[in-house]
Amino acid sequence: MESPRRLEFSVPLVIIVLDQLTKAAVRSTVPLHASVTVIPGLMDFTHVQNTGAAFGILNASDFPFKTY
């Protein structure tokens, strides 16, 4: 049986990997500002660029090393 500590590291790691794979797939297959319906009436993927933090926070700010 897995220890709770192992789950604390493996679950976030799986989520991050799936997130990055999904983003890579959208970048390589969906043109910028285009949408693709995944589940009609429920979920669409739209390719947009967000240079800020989560939900566009700091998107309009300009400071050194922003892309990192």
Side-chain angles (χ1 to χ4, degrees), residues 23 50-59 66:
K23 289 176 183 177
N50 176 13
T51 59
F55 310 110
I57 296 170
L58 300 176
N59 194 28
K66 180 179 176 181

Side-chain angles (χ1 to χ4, degrees), residues 14 46-47 49 64:
V14 168
T46 302
H47 185 174
Q49 298 285 324

Side-chain angles (χ1 to χ4, degrees), residues 8-50:
E8 288 176 10
F9 291 106
S10 61
V11 171
L13 182 63
V14 168
I15 291 170
I16 290 168
V17 167
L18 289 174
D19 175 63
Q20 293 303 310
L21 287 173
T22 304
K23 289 176 183 177
V26 169
R27 278 192 305 267
S28 66
T29 60
V30 180
L32 190 59
H33 304 295
S35 293
V36 174
T37 300
V38 179
I39 302 172
L42 183 64
M43 181 169 52
D44 296 335
F45 282 143
T46 302
H47 185 174
V48 296
Q49 298 285 324
N50 176 13

